[in-house]
Amino acid sequence: MASMTAKESNSTPNLDKPMMIGHRYYIDVKKDLPVGNNLKDHLLIFMSYKLNVSWAVNQEKLNNIEEQENYILNNKGIYSGTGCDALLFAQTGKESSDRGSPDVEVHFFSSAPEEEQLRNGLDQNIKDEVLLYKLEILLDKMVADASSTGIRFLPVYLHPKSQGTIRLKSKDPFDYPALDPNYLAHQDDVDGFVRAVRVVQDIASSTAMQKIGATLIPRVYEGFCDDMEFDSDDYWRCYTKNLASSAFHYSCTCRMGSANDPTAVVDPQLR
């Protein structure tokens, strides 16, 4: 499923109800249900750390024929891992504690981002040409700061309150839908990332991490949060709003529930 460009989103009619969409495109509406409402997704941000050791994985090591042979013959070496070396779940907010479940997830990668990875992600995810131009300038600086002997933490806020929509753009089943994630529209989602950042920093400041020289690579670039005090809560709010990326976990637009639930689309038997 592909998202829209900015041009497409501006030209898409603002239709709030599925029945209105059906009538707009002359589709026979069998039952008026809230399909396409309450769109949710997980966002993540990148936090890169430099190390004073050389065991971190990088592209040069991945291209090493001996590493590839070691995995093929012995099932050992860097290829025996999944890329994501560890996961951490944490309760950081009052709602999370009251609920008894985590609201933050942190992915740990024993490798720093390579230039090719960064550029491929940019090309695939950004379609707006003006924004792409600005981010390409930013990317040049990010690549210059990246360390080939570094590690990455990817904090994720698990329970976003922001709600998006997915709507038909035509009656053609092969036409991409109009996808509006409405990311970070709720302030609690932004503040949740600030707490997630502090979880990462607590890990990085541990004795074990300091023994290998874990040092956060600052992300202070012209036009991107450079008017904020680095590492302040406002800086991380700004960072999140400008540089958060989708984890592509789109969900919640076809809710299961009872017949008395006005937000439900299917019943517990998926009918």
Side-chain angles (χ1 to χ4, degrees):
M1 184 177 294
S3 61
M4 298 180 298
T5 64
K7 181 178 180 181
E8 288 173 325
S9 64
N10 289 336
S11 62
T12 302
N14 183 16
L15 301 173
D16 294 328
K17 295 183 178 180
M19 181 173 285
M20 294 174 63
I21 297 171
H23 291 164
R24 169 67 173 78
Y25 296 118
Y26 304 101
I27 299 172
D28 185 19
V29 178
K30 300 295 184 182
K31 192 171 182 62
D32 186 20
L33 297 170
V35 179
N37 294 339
N38 193 39
L39 177 64
K40 297 292 184 72
D41 186 22
H42 285 143
L43 290 177
L44 53 85
I45 60 175
F46 289 80
M47 297 178 67
S48 299
Y49 280 76
K50 291 182 179 180
L51 304 179
N52 59 14
V53 295
S54 60
W55 48 253
V57 178
N58 57 31
Q59 197 62 45
E60 181 180 353
K61 292 180 180 179
L62 289 172
N63 292 338
N64 188 309
I65 189 64
E66 293 181 358
E67 285 287 354
Q68 297 171 19
E69 289 178 346
N70 189 25
Y71 175 68
I72 294 171
L73 299 176
N74 306 311
N75 291 326
K76 294 182 179 180
I78 58 177
Y79 279 97
S80 61
T82 63
C84 180
D85 299 281
L87 291 173
L88 175 144
F89 293 89
Q91 295 179 4
T92 67
K94 183 179 184 304
E95 290 183 15
S96 174
S97 298
D98 293 344
R99 191 171 51 239
S101 62
D103 59 349
V104 165
E105 177 184 11
V106 178
H107 300 243
F108 171 78
F109 292 82
S110 58
S111 61
E114 298 289 329
E115 179 174 359
E116 183 178 358
Q117 291 176 310
L118 291 169
R119 295 196 183 281
N120 284 345
L122 191 66
D123 291 342
Q124 292 171 8
N125 295 322
I126 305 298
K127 304 303 179 185
D128 185 291
E129 292 184 1
V130 175
L131 179 60
L132 184 61
Y133 173 74
K134 292 180 179 179
L135 289 182
E136 281 178 342
I137 296 175
L138 172 65
L139 184 61
D140 289 337
K141 298 175 181 178
M142 291 180 70
V143 168
D145 284 348
S147 168
S148 61
T149 56
I151 55 176
R152 283 175 291 166
F153 293 95
L154 275 64
V156 180
Y157 186 60
L158 293 175
H159 298 290
K161 294 181 179 178
S162 303
Q163 298 180 7
T165 58
I166 182 169
R167 297 287 185 253
L168 296 179
K169 287 168 61 180
S170 76
K171 64 187 300 181
D172 182 353
F174 295 101
D175 197 3
Y176 291 133
L179 186 63
D180 178 13
N182 200 29
Y183 291 131
L184 303 174
H186 200 292
Q187 185 61 38
D188 285 0
D189 298 351
V190 182
D191 293 339
F193 269 100
V194 176
R195 299 196 303 273
V197 165
R198 302 310 179 196
V199 170
V200 170
Q201 291 177 327
D202 285 345
I203 298 170
S205 63
S206 66
T207 301
M209 294 297 292
Q210 287 305 299
K211 282 184 178 179
I212 56 176
T215 305
L216 178 65
I217 300 175
R219 301 292 193 212
V220 182
Y221 304 121
E222 183 178 355
F224 288 87
C225 312
D226 56 334
D227 58 339
M228 305 283 181
E229 179 185 355
F230 178 70
D231 200 31
S232 65
D233 286 355
D234 283 342
Y235 167 82
W236 288 112
R237 291 186 184 102
C238 177
Y239 182 94
T240 298
K241 291 178 180 179
N242 282 278
L243 296 174
S245 300
S246 172
F248 301 104
H249 293 169
Y250 298 121
S251 60
C252 302
T253 59
C254 194
R255 181 184 175 93
M256 178 188 292
S258 71
N260 298 323
D261 184 350
T263 67
V265 176
V266 296
D267 68 11
Q269 283 72 47
L270 298 179
R271 296 175 296 188

